[in-house]
């Protein structure tokens, strides 16, 4: 399956999915891949806002710039515009399935499937756990595995 575009989805689109988007862009760039990456939230609470300040600060410490990103909510067109939609946790995946009204072409997948295929872990939400470094490291690992699996060298 040829994947040319990826949408990362979490709840608020201010912590996990913008981090995933920025890490994916950077790692894809380093590999010379041109894959479109975006992120969105299942909820619309933070529309138009930049990522959560503590998440931005942590990401910057690891070399990822979240500052240009702005939160948006998942829309129906995402299910046909993107080849692959990656949910950060089981609840995000359930919400995405509820939001999909029509037959769609995007493949829905859990981020944790790139960490453990058998029992995919949820990506813990640092908005609640306050462990921004821990969440970033899990996302970084998952994206490294995702790139090797989907775009082998
Ligand atoms: P995210 O984290 O889904 O990783 O962006 C959250 C951010 C904000 C809220 C919940 C989760 N909130 O309740 O506002």
């Amino acid at each position: 399956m040829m994947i040319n575009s990826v949408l990362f989805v979490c709840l608020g689109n201010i912590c996990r999915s913008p981090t995933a988007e920025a890490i994916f862009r950077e790692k894809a760039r380093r590999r010379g891949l041109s894959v479109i990456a975006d992120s969105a939230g299942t909820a619309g609470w933070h529309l138009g806002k930049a990522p959560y300040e503590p998440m931005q600060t942590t990401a910057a410490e690891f070399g990822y710039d979240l500052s240009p990103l702005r939160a948006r909510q998942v829309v129906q067109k995402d299910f046909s515009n993107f080849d692959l939609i990656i949910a950060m946790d089981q609840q995000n995946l359930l919400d995405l399935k509820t939001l999909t009204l029509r037959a769609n072409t995007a493949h829905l997948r859990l981020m944790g499937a790139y960490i453990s295929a058998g029992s995919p872990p949820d990506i813990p939400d640092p908005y609640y756990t306050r462990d921004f470094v821990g969440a970033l490291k899990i996302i970084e690992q998952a994206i490294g595995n995702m790139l090797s699996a989907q775009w082998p060298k």
Side-chain angles (χ1 to χ4, degrees):
M1 182 184 29
M2 194 62 187
I3 308 263
N4 293 310
S5 56
V6 183
L7 180 69
F8 297 97
V9 172
C10 63
L11 177 58
N13 194 210
I14 56 169
C15 292
R16 292 164 296 172
S17 63
T19 301
E21 176 187 348
I23 293 176
F24 181 90
R25 283 228 184 98
E26 178 58 21
K27 287 187 183 292
R29 189 187 65 75
R30 279 189 225 146
R31 283 179 176 236
L33 284 174
S34 59
V35 176
I36 292 163
D38 196 5
S39 66
T42 55
W45 304 321
H46 305 282
L47 293 182
K49 284 199 210 148
Y52 193 45
E53 200 59 47
M55 190 75 252
Q56 282 200 54
T57 304
T58 299
E61 284 163 9
F62 283 79
Y64 305 108
D65 182 13
L66 304 191
S67 67
L69 305 180
R70 294 296 177 268
R72 72 170 180 89
Q73 192 169 17
V74 172
V75 293
Q76 199 57 230
K77 262 189 162 291
D78 289 327
F79 295 97
S80 50
N81 280 350
F82 289 89
D83 296 330
L84 183 60
I85 300 181
I86 303 287
M88 296 297 134
D89 62 37
Q90 289 280 358
Q91 187 59 55
N92 301 150
L93 187 63
L94 278 175
D95 291 340
L96 282 169
K97 286 177 179 170
T98 306
L99 286 167
T100 322
L101 307 175
R102 284 172 254 133
N104 63 78
T105 49
H107 292 84
L108 300 186
R109 223 164 172 224
L110 273 174
M111 182 75 124
Y114 295 107
I115 295 169
S116 169
S119 48
D122 285 343
I123 307 302
D125 191 340
Y127 194 78
Y128 301 115
T129 67
R130 313 309 293 176
D131 184 3
F132 296 94
V133 171
L136 182 141
K137 285 184 172 171
I138 294 166
I139 292 168
E140 236 182 1
Q141 187 202 337
I143 286 176
N145 294 344
M146 179 185 176
L147 283 159
S148 309
Q150 302 284 3
W151 298 273
K153 280 184 193 165

